[in-house]
Structure formats: structure tokens, C-alpha cells
Amino acid sequence: MEPDSPRGRPLRSDAQANREALIQAAAICFEREGLSVALEKIISKAGLGRGTFYRHFNDRTDLLVAVLNNEMDPLADAITPDMSLPQAIEAICLVGSRLSALVRRVSSDFAGLEPRPELFAIGKRFESMLEPGLERSRAAGEVSPSMTIDTAALAAQMVNHTLLPNLSEEAMRAGISRGLAIVMNGLKPRTGSKDDHSRPA
């Protein structure tokens, strides 16, 4: 879906290109220097002026929201409703490596940001991508029936954080497989626990 201008009209192609340039420049600068990077550095890297920035974004947080949503778009395309939770987590790890690196770099700066619904919505968007997989894995008995979506999101982050940067695809898949084996084992229903609804014959 094409973003709208502040007045609600679809952006012209040149304005859209400027917006994308700012988002791409910000993603690089945020990953390298965190959220404290000077806005002027981002604007300069995009090859634009300050006035152009403020035609698209109100402030740094507004820009960060756009960057994170932009990085999440490939995840939305990669995760399909027929995937189980492990399959969805694998897709996130394979496709979302740049998003993960960005989040790791800026997460310590989140406390200094003004709480906004747009920031919370990003977390909810991530959870919504995992929800179908969680439901399938619950139904298959792969995870506890009481497992919540925030636990599923945490599981995805844990697997992702075990991966080293710049791995080959083969090494990446091997690392994901190891991480998933450990995490999913911890999420299985336990015999004799309140999650085990089986009855003796």
C-alpha cells in the first residue's frame, strides 16, 4: 500500500522516492550509530534537505516507525498462514536478519522515546504474523495449549539472537535448526502439568 501525503493524497513518484531514500538512509544510520545519530546525517546521506524530511516525517520517532515497518514488510510476505510456529520462526530468521540487527542496535535507546501507539503497533504487527503458526502448533500438540502470543514472539527473538551476523545460508539454516530444537523443546506440553489434558486408559 502506497503511503499518503500529510494531506491524505497518494504521494507523487518523486515524493515517494524521497521518502524511500530517507527510510533507507535512516536504516543504515540507526544500525550503525543508534537512535542518537544526528538527523542532519540521515538527511545528508539521503541526498535531501531538511524541508523534505519534515514534509514526510514529524520527528525521529516517526522516521523510526517507518523504518521498522519497512523492514517488516518482507516478513509479512515470507510468513504464510499454513506455516507452523517453527516454520514461521525460521522464515523470520532467514528474511529478517537486517531487522534483527537494527532492533538489537536501537533497543537500548527505546526508553528515551516518547511512548506512541505507532511503536506499540509494530510489536502487535510482529505478533500477528506469528499467531496463525502458534494456533497450528497448539493444535498439533507441539506447544503448550496455554502458550501466549507474547511467548511465541519471545521464542522467535531467542532463536534469532543465537545467530551470528554474516553467516552463509547453509550456516544460517543450521543455526536456526539448533536454536529451534532447544526453544521448541522448552515449549512442549509437560506430562503431568496443568497443560497435559490426557487421561490414563
Side-chain angles (χ1 to χ4, degrees):
M1 182 177 178
E2 293 292 330
D4 291 339
S5 69
R7 296 182 180 179
R9 295 191 297 267
L11 292 174
R12 301 190 318 266
S13 58
D14 57 337
Q16 173 64 22
N18 289 342
R19 185 178 189 277
E20 288 298 323
L22 287 164
I23 289 173
Q24 293 300 323
I28 294 170
C29 292
F30 286 155
E31 186 178 346
R32 289 176 178 172
E33 302 182 41
L35 295 182
S36 62
V37 62
L39 279 180
E40 289 297 341
K41 191 167 188 176
I42 296 172
I43 294 167
S44 175
K45 187 170 185 61
L48 300 169
R50 197 172 184 86
T52 302
F53 173 84
Y54 284 109
R55 279 196 289 274
H56 293 282
F57 304 104
N58 294 318
D59 54 25
R60 182 186 308 272
T61 304
D62 199 20
L63 176 59
L64 174 63
V65 169
V67 168
L68 293 176
N69 272 314
N70 188 66
E71 294 295 331
M72 288 183 71
D73 286 343
L75 299 187
D77 293 335
I79 301 171
T80 58
D82 61 334
M83 288 180 172
S84 65
L85 182 60
Q87 290 171 330
I89 292 175
E90 181 179 27
I92 287 170
C93 293
L94 289 173
V95 178
S97 58
R98 183 179 179 186
L99 173 63
S100 298
L102 178 62
V103 170
R104 281 197 292 268
R105 182 64 180 85
V106 303
S107 59
S108 61
D109 300 327
F110 281 169
L113 294 177
E114 175 190 351
R116 291 190 190 173
E118 300 95 324
L119 284 172
F120 290 110
I122 292 172
K124 292 299 181 183
R125 184 184 179 194
F126 181 70
E127 291 178 356
S128 71
M129 295 178 188
L130 290 172
E131 188 75 57
L134 175 58
E135 291 297 333
R136 292 179 71 86
S137 288
R138 280 184 188 138
E142 293 179 321
V143 301
S144 163
S146 62
M147 182 177 173
T148 59
I149 187 60
D150 57 328
T151 301
L154 178 60
Q157 293 169 34
M158 290 172 66
V159 175
N160 216 335
H161 287 178
T162 65
L163 303 175
L164 297 173
N166 304 317
L167 293 175
S168 67
E169 182 174 345
E170 181 180 2
M172 177 81 76
R173 289 184 181 277
I176 293 169
S177 180
R178 288 193 297 270
L180 277 172
I182 295 169
V183 169
M184 294 305 297
N185 183 62
L187 298 175
K188 287 179 180 178
R190 298 302 178 191
T191 302
S193 73
K194 64 181 181 179
D195 291 328
D196 179 29
H197 302 296
S198 62
R199 294 289 185 270

